Amino acid sequence: MATDFVLMNRRTFGIRTAALCFAAGMMVSPFSLALLKIGVLPATDSVLLYAAESEGFFESRGLRIQLLPFKSAIEIGAAMRAGELAGHYGDLINVFTQNAAGAPQAVAATVTYANPAERNFALVTRPGSNLTSLEDIKTHPGTDTAMSASTIIDYLLDRMEATTGLPPSAMKRVEVRQIPIRLQLLLAGKMETALLPEPLCSLVESKGGRALWDDRTLAEPLAVVAFRKAAVTPQTAAAFRAALADAAKAIESDPEKFRALMVKKSLLTKAAASAYKMPTYAHFGTADGLPPLPSAADVKRTADWMIGKGMIKAIPKLEEVVFVP
């Protein structure tokens, strides 16, 4: 009888414990238990991730996220392939390249989408240049242009030519992979033009350079966050996107607070901070207020370009490279 009583109490305790665990699971998402390490570059649009981290939005969505700063996309790619990261900040070119290299991943969120409201990249001249428009480049064939091959910079130069009718022969593309060196060469007058991201474009303008073209004429994803498929579930990706949506609303409600955070995280220099136009998100008109996820057309356009460059062999399906809600 005593044994039966003990066994019954154990069973009752087990049932009650299971019920408590189930109830706790209803309040705290089960995927909050895994620590997700995300590689981040010192780019201004990664402010969304740092804002979500600093404001506790990841935790409130049941996620444990650790942001790890990297200096280059090459380093992030190596860490992703080695399985050291669950996800990374990058672009569709990074995602497709890594998928082709055997590191299956998919986009969980877009952090930057080219749109008429904001400039993200621009073709800028050296200070004191006589070039005032793309038409001037047509009359000066072979204009030196600092860039980086097989990257978003290379892609945007091709998109610029395709959308403006600028012939490929008009520019002499000079490989300068590191952005700081590209900037230094331009400011020193050793390059006539360069394709740069913000806030460097504004910095060049402040020193006498000119913007001849920018990405506001386009409509496509420029920067995304992708996760290794083996590391997360679609539910995790949705929770991550929701945390970024919380961050987007916070940035729009108090941009100066997050301008200071960007300086702290070395996304902006103190010199460039005051002139930098803080990003906005509500104008996209999406349900969650974030830039739209890549579409099938975005995937095809980027993949077609990469195939033409010999970087990949086939166009991936949308569901293979995007966590579609």
Side-chain angles (χ1 to χ4, degrees), residues 141-177:
T143 298
D144 286 345
T145 301
M147 49 78 70
S148 179
S150 302
T151 66
I152 187 70
I153 298 297
D154 195 11
Y155 173 78
L156 287 174
L157 282 173
D158 282 355
R159 291 284 286 137
M160 179 186 73
E161 290 176 351
T163 56
T164 64
L166 186 70
S169 59
M171 293 187 297
K172 177 185 177 183
R173 301 191 186 191
V174 180
E175 178 74 16
V176 184
R177 187 159 290 273

Side-chain angles (χ1 to χ4, degrees), residues 91-92 95 105-110 224-227 237 293-294 321-324:
D91 53 50
L92 290 184
V95 174
Q105 57 193 260
V107 173
T110 301
V224 300
V225 178
F227 286 101
L293 284 167
V321 290
V322 177
F323 284 106
V324 181

Side-chain angles (χ1 to χ4, degrees), residues 41-225:
L41 293 174
T44 55
D45 44 12
S46 61
V47 64
L48 259 182
L49 285 82
Y50 284 110
E53 176 188 57
S54 67
E55 298 298 297
F57 295 138
F58 290 134
E59 290 85 351
S60 68
R61 293 292 181 172
L63 298 169
R64 290 178 61 216
I65 299 289
Q66 181 181 7
L67 302 180
L68 299 177
F70 283 77
K71 293 181 179 180
S72 72
I74 294 176
E75 294 173 341
I76 284 183
M80 284 290 288
R81 290 190 294 273
E84 297 170 359
L85 297 173
H88 73 103
Y89 162 97
D91 53 50
L92 290 184
I93 297 170
N94 301 142
V95 174
F96 296 175
T97 299
Q98 291 179 38
N99 269 310
Q105 57 193 260
V107 173
T110 301
V111 294
T112 303
Y113 196 96
N115 67 93
E118 293 166 332
R119 182 176 75 179
N120 299 288
F121 290 88
L123 180 72
V124 289
T125 71
R126 62 174 176 80
S129 172
N130 291 324
L131 299 176
T132 61
S133 68
L134 290 183
E135 290 298 318
D136 289 339
I137 291 183
K138 292 180 181 179
T139 61
H140 294 79
T143 298
D144 286 345
T145 301
M147 49 78 70
S148 179
S150 302
T151 66
I152 187 70
I153 298 297
D154 195 11
Y155 173 78
L156 287 174
L157 282 173
D158 282 355
R159 291 284 286 137
M160 179 186 73
E161 290 176 351
T163 56
T164 64
L166 186 70
S169 59
M171 293 187 297
K172 177 185 177 183
R173 301 191 186 191
V174 180
E175 178 74 16
V176 184
R177 187 159 290 273
Q178 295 186 13
I179 292 178
I181 296 177
R182 201 182 310 157
L183 175 65
Q184 291 172 12
L185 290 174
L186 187 72
L187 293 179
K190 295 182 179 180
M191 285 288 153
E192 192 68 24
T193 65
L195 190 68
L196 294 170
E198 284 289 6
L200 300 184
C201 304
S202 296
L203 177 63
V204 171
E205 286 178 319
S206 72
K207 295 183 178 296
R210 296 186 184 90
L212 306 182
W213 174 89
D214 65 57
D215 63 333
R216 284 177 289 189
T217 58
L218 306 179
E220 57 187 286
L222 299 177
V224 300
V225 178

Side-chain angles (χ1 to χ4, degrees), residues 1 11 32 35 38 48 59 71 90 94 118 136 171 191 213 232 256 280 288 291 299 306 309 315:
M1 292 292 293
R11 291 191 189 100
S32 65
L35 175 64
I38 300 177
L48 259 182
E59 290 85 351
K71 293 181 179 180
N94 301 142
E118 293 166 332
D136 289 339
M171 293 187 297
M191 285 288 153
W213 174 89
V232 303
E256 294 310 311
T280 56
D288 56 14
V299 169
M306 294 179 70
K309 295 283 185 178
I315 300 172

